[in-house]
Amino acid sequence: MSPAGCSHVNGYKVDNWKQNLRVIYQCFVWSGTAETRRRKAKSCICHMCGAHLNRLHSCLYCVFFGCFTKKHIHEHAKNKRHNLAIDLLYGGIYCFVCQDYIYDKDMEQIAKEEQRKAWKLQGRAFCFLTENLIQLLKQGHLLSQCRHICVPFVSTGIGEKYTTWEPTKRELELLRHNPKRRKITTNCTIGLRGLINLGNTCFMNCIVQALTHTPLLRDFFLSDRHKCEMQSNSCLVCEMSQLFQEFYSGHRSPHIPFRLLHLVWTHARHLAGYEQQDAHEFLIAALDVLHRHCKGDTINDNGKKANNPNHCNCIIDQIFTGGLQSDVTCQVCHGVSTTIDPFWDISLDLPGSSTPFWPLSPGGDGSTVNGESHLSGSTTLTDCLRRFTRPEHLGSSAKIKCGGCHSYQESTKQLTMKKLPIVACFHLKRFEHSAKLRRKITTYVSFPLELDMTPFMASSKESRMNGQYQQTVDVLNNDNKYSLFAVVNHQGTLESGHYTSFIRQHKDQWFKCDDAIITKASIKDVLDSEGYLLFYHKQFLEYE
Amino acid sequence: MSKDSQMRAAINQKLIEMGERERLKELLRAKLVECGWKDQLKAQCKDVIKEKGLEHVTVEDLVTEVTPKGRALVPDSVKKELLQRIRAFLAQHATL
């Protein structure tokens, strides 16, 4: 099984062998077009017994298909002295003299190219688990001290099949010059690092912890995908990239994010100063600045840079932007006017605020859909989401001009999710700033580790309206399932308080980040906490 | 060829022609990675290689040793799901 190939292929490598081999791959192994598929369906059967299973092989020297398991191809090889055959399932080349599959560089090259061609022709979307991204990182697990190494990153938007990484000459060179290796085990703490509080900056520290542990964002920055177009030194995305280098460097001493703080003050003036700020406001401001500074990375399908701010395809938009559908129904003619607005987070009202929480409108379902602990009277995240997506009667003082009736009529408004972002951030509105009072609402809201957003989707609402009340749990549709990966908490009052966060390092392994102090936390600690900002990540990612 | 294997061959042909076989293969691949089957088999293969020695082991050795275990380790839920998909496909293209 030597990687240098066997000498017996040399007898095959004559005349137009490359083209012949390509034809075999195109027609019988990886059939890309409908025509080749039809031919494959008809002709790929054993010439001796007619079976289509049993590891069918094709002779490389003549037109003969034979079973491998029943040794029909072996007989043919012996009788005709044709020593090479190709496996029609996986494209491997078998040499009957060596009695094993052989690996010839030229043939492998042809095989890879033909496979890519066939996949492109079919142009489908593929599913792969989030965990696979971490596998990618593990396989390319080359985090040396301060150099970042480019790992070919298969991101959403490219219609290519996932293939394992093979290093180029340049990458091999880099590997030799940077011999230090870091192995990622299931218990390792790489990526965890404390952050010094620079004077009430815990609000910033928590968000930084959440962002550095967002898997897609981490993969984007660690594979060096930001191309900076800013002339000055004030690009927040570059600083973010530097931050990831610091976090994954393996240093255990806390990091001092003074440069990040300075850049935030420069770009988001309203957050400047040493007073305590709102972590949620910081999150939105940070995402906004990152989105604006990502201009260099936005490439259209045509290879041109996107100039349209509404159709940005930067990493921030890819990860955080969702679509919120607002339907306004006229009570008289029942005409519906729909708008879809982009969002980065969902702000949820809580019971105990000035605006009444209950009652919910009838037709709410899925009270135990997310398996949350429904202690008597305690509110769940699902309750808040149901309230958020309930139809709301707008009252006689807020009549809307109806396009159908051509007059002002009473209407109901309903919000649903049109498009879910890859990372969903839920903001529990604990800080009340009404005309009379400013206070913090400390009502406990229980939230789950796994969240299914299906009941709150615009598509679910449509099927409910079409009379399909019984929503069969579609085993194959995993598109709306989310996993919790970060929780930001606020302790104290509006006047003086402190932010801490819980971060998911591996599945079922959580850590509490309190500025410079990182401690191990149990899942119970996480789920019992008050919860202010909840970060959920899609469980299954698909290419578009 | 018995009626049964004739039917099998006809279904297989239809699946290949419509490209459904490729889709099913990809679905199966994803499911087997998810449930950890791929990792289990990888471990099995490593054991066989250690046993036979890296210089002498052939693909045949791996196939003979690992196939029965691999078949047994496929979870029922995956089998059910694939069967469902195939049934749905056949229902759609009922001209068989």
Side-chain angles (χ1 to χ4, degrees):
Chain A
M1 227 169 48
S2 152
C6 75
S7 52
H8 311 112
V9 290
N10 295 331
Y12 179 75
K13 286 183 174 182
V14 292
D15 303 326
N16 204 15
W17 73 273
K18 280 200 182 171
Q19 195 48 36
N20 291 341
L21 192 61
R22 278 187 199 279
V23 169
I24 295 183
Y25 274 111
Q26 281 167 17
C27 292
F28 303 116
V29 186
W30 290 303
S31 318
T33 65
E35 194 202 309
T36 49
R37 276 206 298 271
R38 243 173 282 133
R39 196 179 321 141
K40 176 174 172 155
K42 289 237 154 64
S43 54
C44 283
I45 51 174
C46 175
H47 283 194
M48 291 190 62
C49 68
H52 64 268
L53 300 166
N54 300 329
R55 289 170 68 195
L56 206 60
H57 279 60
S58 160
C59 174
L60 275 188
Y61 288 100
C62 69
V63 181
F64 181 87
F65 296 117
C67 309
F68 193 90
T69 325
K70 303 264 169 84
K71 304 276 189 225
H72 295 153
I73 189 88
H74 296 71
E75 271 189 61
H76 170 87
K78 202 160 75 154
N79 297 340
K80 297 284 178 101
R81 308 252 179 96
H82 290 173
N83 288 329
L84 295 173
I86 181 171
D87 178 354
L88 293 185
L89 264 185
Y90 298 107
I93 312 276
Y94 190 88
C95 171
F96 286 95
V97 186
C98 299
Q99 290 199 16
D100 199 5
Y101 286 93
I102 53 118
Y103 304 98
D104 180 87
K105 238 200 244 155
D106 298 324
M107 290 171 150
E108 296 263 295
Q109 185 62 26
I110 293 177
K112 243 195 272 167
E113 283 167 13
E114 290 307 318
Q115 192 180 34
R116 274 218 189 96
K117 271 196 229 165
W119 281 118
K120 274 230 176 89
L121 279 174
Q122 282 160 342
R124 293 196 295 274
F126 305 105
C127 313
F128 66 107
L129 247 192
T130 322
E131 297 301 314
N132 267 2
L133 280 172
I134 301 176
Q135 289 290 342
L136 228 184
L137 202 62
K138 283 189 197 175
Q139 278 168 2
H141 45 71
L142 313 156
L143 304 166
S144 86
Q145 255 169 333
C146 12
R147 306 278 305 264
H148 26 233
I149 300 201
C150 290
V151 174
F153 175 81
V154 190
S155 77
T156 53
I158 303 177
E160 265 187 54
K161 184 181 173 180
Y162 168 77
T163 48
T164 46
W165 174 69
E166 279 179 35
T168 61
K169 278 211 177 77
R170 167 91 184 117
E171 283 159 357
L172 285 171
E173 209 183 295
L174 280 172
L175 286 172
R176 274 191 281 268
H177 285 160
N178 296 287
K180 187 166 180 188
R181 299 283 177 268
R182 186 158 279 129
K183 184 164 179 175
I184 301 180
T185 59
T186 40
N187 279 332
C188 75
T189 53
I190 194 157
L192 277 177
R193 206 170 167 192
L195 287 163
I196 298 280
N197 188 319
L198 296 167
N200 280 329
T201 57
C202 50
F203 70 93
M204 178 177 82
N205 290 347
C206 286
I207 300 298
V208 169
Q209 294 288 2
L211 290 178
T212 50
H213 288 85
T214 303
L216 275 185
L217 207 57
R218 173 198 66 200
D219 294 345
F220 176 84
F221 281 108
L222 287 182
S223 41
D224 212 15
R225 304 198 89 213
H226 171 56
K227 312 271 182 292
C228 196
E229 295 218 331
M230 287 185 72
Q231 310 292 39
S232 59
N233 266 351
S234 61
C235 174
L236 190 63
V237 191
C238 286
E239 182 52 35
M240 206 65 214
S241 189
Q242 208 29 53
L243 203 66
F244 272 93
Q245 291 295 311
E246 290 287 343
F247 266 71
Y248 286 86
S249 61
H251 293 315
R252 295 176 77 89
S253 58
H255 174 63
I256 312 174
F258 63 91
R259 237 189 349 245
L260 178 70
L261 187 65
H262 176 73
L263 277 178
V264 167
W265 284 356
T266 315
H267 293 291
R269 288 281 151 74
H270 61 286
L271 291 174
Y274 281 112
E275 310 162 354
Q276 178 70 274
Q277 306 286 354
D278 184 348
H280 174 246
E281 263 199 67
F282 176 80
L283 172 69
I284 300 300
L287 290 178
D288 186 47
V289 178
L290 287 170
H291 160 70
R292 279 188 280 129
H293 289 189
C294 266
K295 269 199 248 122
D297 312 323
T298 326
I299 308 281
N300 264 341
D301 286 325
N302 311 331
K304 299 201 197 111
K305 301 274 172 72
N307 284 320
N308 187 349
N310 290 333
H311 291 284
C312 179
N313 204 27
C314 67
I315 189 69
I316 300 296
D317 273 328
Q318 279 182 45
I319 297 180
F320 293 98
T321 304
L324 189 64
Q325 181 167 320
S326 169
D327 296 314
V328 177
T329 313
C330 171
Q331 288 305 89
V332 174
C333 71
H334 297 290
V336 185
S337 146
T338 306
T339 47
I340 300 179
D341 293 311
F343 69 88
W344 277 334
D345 67 317
I346 304 278
S347 288
L348 300 169
D349 287 310
L350 299 179
S353 67
S354 309
T355 45
F357 192 77
W358 306 106
L360 293 176
S361 53
D365 56 9
S367 57
T368 48
V369 76
N370 287 310
E372 294 153 336
S373 60
H374 229 293
L375 307 165
S376 54
S378 88
T379 327
T380 67
L381 179 66
T382 324
D383 289 335
C384 297
L385 281 167
R386 270 193 292 151
R387 183 184 178 282
F388 184 75
T389 52
R390 80 196 187 300
E392 190 186 343
H393 193 80
L394 288 178
S396 47
S397 54
K399 288 193 182 169
I400 307 282
K401 176 115 190 257
C402 172
C405 307
H406 301 292
S407 59
Y408 283 88
Q409 304 291 355
E410 287 194 20
S411 52
T412 56
K413 178 174 123 160
Q414 186 173 19
L415 295 172
T416 46
M417 310 284 171
K418 176 71 182 171
K419 175 189 168 236
L420 289 172
I422 296 182
V423 170
C425 171
F426 296 107
H427 167 224
L428 301 179
K429 288 160 79 172
R430 293 194 176 280
F431 299 124
E432 179 143 9
H433 296 279
S434 65
K436 311 179 260 178
L437 30 80
R438 298 183 58 208
R439 64 187 175 115
K440 180 183 169 190
I441 302 163
T442 53
T443 320
Y444 172 70
V445 177
S446 80
F447 47 88
L449 272 184
E450 321 257 298
L451 178 68
D452 189 347
M453 291 290 286
T454 317
F456 313 110
M457 301 290 295
S459 48
S460 302
K461 174 190 161 210
E462 273 152 29
S463 36
R464 270 202 296 276
M465 281 167 49
N466 292 340
Q468 297 160 262
Y469 280 102
Q470 189 65 27
Q471 278 172 347
T472 47
V473 177
D474 194 348
V475 165
L476 297 176
N477 180 20
N478 288 315
D479 219 24
N480 304 325
K481 300 214 169 102
Y482 283 80
S483 291
L484 186 67
F485 73 94
V487 178
V488 170
N489 286 308
H490 178 266
Q491 294 136 262
T493 62
L494 250 167
E495 289 78 40
S496 82
H498 180 55
Y499 283 102
T500 55
S501 57
F502 286 105
I503 296 292
R504 178 186 187 239
Q505 172 74 350
H506 302 286
K507 187 165 163 68
D508 296 334
Q509 247 191 67
W510 288 78
F511 287 85
K512 180 174 183 180
C513 304
D514 186 347
D515 287 332
I517 303 168
I518 312 274
T519 45
K520 196 141 195 328
S522 68
I523 295 181
K524 189 175 185 308
D525 292 334
V526 179
L527 296 180
D528 281 348
S529 65
E530 201 177 64
Y532 175 53
L533 295 173
L534 307 170
F535 291 85
Y536 284 86
H537 199 294
K538 252 198 196 179
Q539 280 183 20
F540 301 100
L541 299 177
E542 290 200 18
Y543 290 108
E544 271 166 37
Chain B
M1 270 215 290
S2 67
K3 256 260 155 121
D4 214 19
S5 44
Q6 262 185 334
M7 173 109 281
R8 276 224 186 103
I11 295 179
N12 184 55
Q13 258 193 37
K14 198 76 195 195
L15 285 173
I16 297 179
E17 268 181 45
M18 311 288 305
E20 181 70 9
R21 193 164 202 273
E22 288 303 314
R23 283 191 280 272
L24 286 172
K25 242 173 59 177
E26 276 316 300
L27 176 66
L28 180 60
R29 198 165 277 158
K31 292 285 159 192
L32 290 176
V33 168
E34 260 173 57
C35 68
W37 181 91
K38 185 171 174 193
D39 296 321
Q40 284 173 303
L41 271 261
K42 203 165 167 184
Q44 298 269 7
C45 291
K46 283 196 180 148
D47 288 339
V48 177
I49 295 175
K50 268 195 208 132
E51 206 188 294
K52 305 265 169 147
L54 185 56
E55 291 306 312
H56 305 294
V57 70
T58 65
V59 177
E60 266 325 284
D61 290 333
L62 287 170
V63 172
T64 4
E65 299 257 357
V66 171
T67 306
K69 296 185 193 136
R71 286 228 163 94
L73 285 170
V74 178
D76 283 339
S77 56
V78 176
K79 291 185 190 164
K80 242 166 80 176
E81 198 174 330
L82 263 287
L83 215 56
Q84 236 184 338
R85 276 286 286 258
I86 297 175
R87 281 212 183 95
F89 171 80
L90 291 177
Q92 250 190 327
H93 301 93
T95 51
L96 277 173

